[in-house]
């Protein structure tokens, strides 16, 4: 058991839309990601997802609206809800996510941005 320095972890990677696992808590994983631009519409049939914005502003698109999630805020996307995370004005946003180990990156959607294994840092 050691403290995890989030700044050092973010400094360890630069690629956007490429999540990295930093911890595991029971059947949950803690993930860091840098995002920029628009992702891909997807949902997770059996898992909720929690997004915490550590730096920047996240625009969580839903089919009927967009929620603006600012630095220091969280949003929980319930299982089965189609969503598309994005940023504006070329901003790189830092996120911490909490999700089950079984959560597929883009749900059932296969896309060039789909990652099947998250590197552990």
């Amino acid at each position: 058991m050691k403290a995890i320095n989030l700044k050092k972890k973010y400094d360890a990677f630069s690629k956007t839309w490429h999540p990295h696992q930093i911890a595991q808590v029971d059947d949950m994983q803690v993930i860091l990601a840098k995002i920029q631009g628009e992702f891909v519409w997807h949902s997770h049939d059996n898992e909720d997802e929690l997004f915490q914005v550590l730096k920047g502003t996240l625009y969580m698109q839903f089919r009927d609206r967009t929620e603006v999630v600012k630095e220091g805020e969280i949003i929980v996307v319930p299982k089965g809800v189609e969503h598309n995370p994005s940023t504006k004005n070329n901003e790189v946003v830092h996120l911490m996510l909490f999700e089950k180990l079984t959560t597929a990156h883009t749900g059932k959607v296969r896309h060039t941005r789909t990652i099947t294994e998250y590197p552990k840092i």
Side-chain angles (χ1 to χ4, degrees), residues 25-65:
V25 182
D26 293 327
D27 66 341
M28 302 289 291
Q29 57 186 337
V30 182
I31 297 167
L32 296 183
K34 295 178 182 178
I35 67 169
Q36 183 179 34
E38 199 156 315
F39 192 46
V40 58
W41 283 99
H42 68 286
S43 63
H44 306 281
D45 291 341
N46 301 306
E47 301 96 1
D48 298 334
E49 250 183 326
L50 184 148
F51 294 78
Q52 179 179 8
V53 179
L54 298 176
K55 178 182 173 188
T57 302
L58 168 67
Y59 295 84
M60 185 62 74
Q61 299 175 76
F62 299 104
R63 289 298 182 183
D64 63 343
R65 72 187 189 290

Side-chain angles (χ1 to χ4, degrees), residues 50-91:
L50 184 148
F51 294 78
Q52 179 179 8
V53 179
L54 298 176
K55 178 182 173 188
T57 302
L58 168 67
Y59 295 84
M60 185 62 74
Q61 299 175 76
F62 299 104
R63 289 298 182 183
D64 63 343
R65 72 187 189 290
T66 298
E67 286 291 324
V68 178
V69 188
K70 298 176 185 171
E71 197 168 301
E73 296 181 335
I74 67 169
I75 188 167
V76 176
V77 178
K79 62 180 112 286
V81 175
E82 196 173 20
H83 59 288
N84 185 14
S86 65
T87 71
K88 292 189 178 184
N89 303 319
N90 218 28
E91 179 181 33

Side-chain angles (χ1 to χ4, degrees), residues 10 13-18 32-36 92-94:
Y10 276 110
F13 68 98
S14 59
K15 192 172 182 180
T16 58
W17 302 111
H18 198 274
L32 296 183
K34 295 178 182 178
I35 67 169
Q36 183 179 34
V92 175
V93 173
H94 292 193

